Amino acid sequence: MKKSVTESLEEGRRLCTEGDRDSALRVLGHALQKEPLNKELIGAIIEAESPLTDPDHIVRPDQNVDIDTYARLKIAQKKIADLARFVELKYLYIDVSNYCNYKCHHCRTWVPDAGKFHIPLEDIEAVLIKVGQGLESIERITGRSIDKSEIMVQPQGYGEPLMYPHFEQTLKLINDYGFAVKLNTNGSLLSGRRADLLAEANIKDINVSIDASSPEMYAKFRKGGDLRVVTENLEAFIARFKGKAQRPTFAVSFCNAPLNSPELHDFCRQWAHKVDRVFIQRFRDYTKDKDTSRDDEIEQIGMERHFCNRLPGYLTIKSNGDAISCVCGTLNVGNIFTQSFEDVFLSGKRLQTFHCQETGKYDDIDACRDCRKWYEQSYKSNTGLLDIDGTDYLVVKSFSSTTILNQHGHSINKDFDRISMDDPDFAPPPL
């Protein structure tokens, strides 16, 4: 029979009085997952605190520390093996708009005009303020330095971010609150004032989705676009940073579908020497009712399930404020508009997910139980070398992507295995 929160509180206090502080914290911690804002539980947890074995991991609370956040982190310290992985934030995605000027062959995000939106600018600022304040609180409590300028904020959503009417103000807000910018765009609007703004911002990474090497294929695959315009825009934007010490990582991507796969090799030759990263991802046919091919592939390769690397470091804020804490898009951990960042990022649901992932209890997590995306970014092979027109490039392959890395003249380990674009498994096959 499950205990009520009141019963757990009484039991926790009794155990603490008897000197069994670890059991008290365990009981109170379970109760706190049910009622994460219960002040009595939080106070009891602080009272039950046992001496820390690693004082540098979590400091004791003082007048400058939020007690709720301290209690959450204290529970996390006891329940999670890798606390640093739990509290680290690398990427913050904000759904700013779902407007797009393309209708791409491989995109499932087209929506009727009635369903289109632009998020209010004040909502973006509210998110950045809450995240910044929350990170400062976590930094004070854990003693771990958090450099916000290394955290990349991506104003995206299911659309073209450069169409967002408040794009200029959004860039300014991201930089004013100390964060960096990450952008994924079709490149069609990467010119003029927008390009000027991006060049002046603290932009760390920009990816342009292209998917073709010929104008004819581009027109078929990325309906509404002009390859000549995109190529000119990207090359001009890259040229802005020539000779500068600080510049973003430039990337182009290719979605490997049956329609455009004949142009993959030419695409790699066209862009490998111009950008830092050529990203080749597998195509999924979203018209299928259920995708079972990944189950077959997992069974074929015999891979054992492991901690999902699509979980740590990510947070997506939807237009309604819902906070999604995994790249797969299934782990909803709260709402940033009605809760604090700490309530969301250190929530009992997110904590329990990390704990179950660490202990192999995947079926105990609703968001993870039937998910098959965990294996996709697992490395399929060691780094290899690819010769393109007499130049060696590093290649890293996972089960869902192949990435070609341009080393810009740096020395490359020649002991890596040689890879050919003619190899059957050079690029992930379509699903």
Side-chain angles (χ1 to χ4, degrees):
M1 182 176 178
K2 293 184 178 180
K3 297 184 180 69
S4 67
V5 171
T6 300
E7 290 171 332
S8 296
L9 182 61
E10 293 175 352
E11 182 181 357
R13 285 172 171 164
R14 176 183 60 77
L15 289 168
C16 186
T17 301
E18 295 173 355
D20 191 354
R21 296 178 181 271
D22 287 340
S23 296
L25 283 167
R26 188 161 49 249
V27 170
L28 294 169
H30 282 303
L32 192 67
Q33 291 176 26
K34 300 177 183 177
E35 294 187 15
L37 301 181
N38 188 309
K39 299 293 184 181
E40 284 191 277
L41 281 174
I42 292 170
I45 288 172
I46 300 303
E47 292 175 8
E49 179 201 14
S50 58
L52 300 176
T53 57
D54 184 3
D56 293 329
H57 221 171
I58 303 250
V59 301
R60 287 181 174 274
D62 57 33
Q63 66 272 19
N64 296 318
V65 170
D66 178 76
I67 297 300
D68 291 27
T69 304
Y70 174 82
R72 293 179 188 278
L73 286 167
K74 190 65 181 161
I75 294 171
Q77 183 187 21
K78 290 182 172 295
K79 195 165 186 177
I80 295 177
D82 192 339
L83 183 67
R85 180 169 59 182
F86 178 66
V87 301
E88 183 179 32
L89 179 64
K90 295 180 179 179
Y91 305 102
L92 175 65
Y93 301 94
I94 304 177
D95 281 1
V96 299
S97 174
N98 64 355
Y99 279 81
C100 189
N101 53 345
Y102 281 14
K103 291 186 177 180
C104 295
H105 170 74
H106 60 299
C107 183
R108 61 172 174 174
T109 59
W110 303 349
V111 293
D113 288 344
K116 292 187 179 296
F117 69 86
H118 293 307
I119 189 174
L121 184 64
E122 53 266 28
D123 285 354
I124 296 177
E125 183 168 20
V127 169
L128 295 174
I129 290 173
K130 283 191 174 185
V131 172
Q133 292 174 342
L135 290 173
E136 289 173 3
S137 180
I138 292 172
E139 184 177 39
R140 287 196 301 271
I141 294 171
T142 62
R144 298 176 181 275
S145 177
I146 298 175
D147 185 357
K148 289 194 296 182
S149 68
E150 293 299 319
I151 298 174
M152 290 188 271
V153 177
Q154 181 169 329
Q156 195 72 41
Y158 292 129
E160 170 52 47
L162 296 180
M163 290 187 70
Y164 181 52
H166 307 301
F167 183 73
E168 177 175 356
Q169 298 94 321
T170 298
L171 289 182
K172 186 176 187 305
L173 285 174
I174 292 171
N175 285 169
D176 285 351
Y177 286 104
F179 297 97
V181 176
K182 176 180 170 66
L183 197 71
N184 186 48
T185 173
N186 61 36
S188 63
L189 303 176
L190 186 62
S191 60
R193 177 65 176 164
R194 295 182 181 89
D196 293 339
L197 293 169
L198 279 170
E200 295 166 3
N202 178 24
I203 181 167
K204 296 284 189 181
D205 189 281
I206 180 168
N207 177 79
V208 179
S209 303
I210 299 180
D211 305 314
S213 64
S214 72
E216 295 77 17
M217 180 59 71
Y218 189 87
K220 293 179 182 178
F221 201 84
R222 303 191 69 82
K223 297 176 182 179
D226 185 328
L227 180 59
R228 177 189 58 81
V229 171
V230 172
T231 301
E232 289 179 358
N233 286 350
L234 179 54
E235 291 179 345
F237 190 71
I238 293 173
R240 289 171 178 260
F241 295 88
K242 187 175 182 180
K244 293 185 178 181
Q246 299 294 325
R247 67 173 187 81
T249 298
F250 298 104
V252 294
S253 61
F254 187 99
C255 184
N256 190 34
L259 176 64
N260 66 340
S261 60
E263 295 200 351
L264 174 59
H265 294 182
D266 287 341
F267 179 84
C268 294
R269 293 188 181 95
Q270 180 181 354
W271 287 104
H273 66 287
K274 296 179 181 180
V275 297
D276 301 286
R277 186 175 70 243
V278 174
F279 182 71
I280 307 162
Q281 60 184 328
R282 69 175 8 164
F283 166 81
R284 294 189 186 92
D285 185 353
Y286 291 112
T287 63
K288 293 181 179 178
D289 293 334
K290 178 174 175 59
D291 175 20
T292 59
S293 55
R294 278 179 291 194
D295 295 333
D296 296 338
E297 189 171 23
I298 293 171
E299 183 176 354
Q300 182 179 1
I301 61 178
M303 177 180 285
E304 292 186 6
R305 192 160 186 177
H306 53 75
F307 190 97
C308 181
N309 60 10
R310 301 168 73 96
L311 178 63
Y314 298 92
L315 190 67
T316 294
I317 305 300
K318 310 295 286 184
S319 60
N320 63 357
D322 283 351
I324 311 300
S325 186
C326 72
V327 181
C328 304
T330 55
L331 184 62
N332 189 322
V333 293
N335 189 287
I336 198 73
F337 294 159
T338 59
Q339 299 171 273
S340 70
F341 171 76
E342 300 94 302
D343 289 341
V344 168
F345 200 61
L346 306 178
S347 67
K349 187 173 183 179
R350 188 169 181 268
L351 171 66
Q352 184 66 13
T353 301
F354 270 71
H355 172 70
C356 289
Q357 283 276 341
E358 285 186 341
T359 55
K361 300 176 181 178
Y362 309 108
D363 288 343
D364 290 354
I365 318 166
D366 290 340
C368 303
R369 184 179 302 114
D370 298 321
C371 183
R372 296 295 180 267
K373 296 179 181 179
W374 58 268
Y375 87 104
E376 290 188 349
Q377 293 303 317
S378 302
Y379 291 126
K380 188 174 182 179
S381 64
N382 294 325
T383 303
L385 286 179
L386 174 66
D387 182 305
I388 300 179
D389 298 331
T391 299
D392 283 337
Y393 297 86
L394 293 180
V395 174
V396 177
K397 293 193 290 184
S398 74
F399 288 97
S400 66
S401 65
T402 295
T403 305
I404 302 173
L405 301 171
N406 186 343
Q407 298 302 290
H408 294 292
H410 296 298
S411 60
I412 296 178
N413 186 346
K414 299 295 183 179
D415 293 333
F416 290 131
D417 293 336
R418 287 282 169 181
I419 294 174
S420 169
M421 286 193 286
D422 293 324
D423 292 343
D425 65 344
F426 168 71
L431 286 180

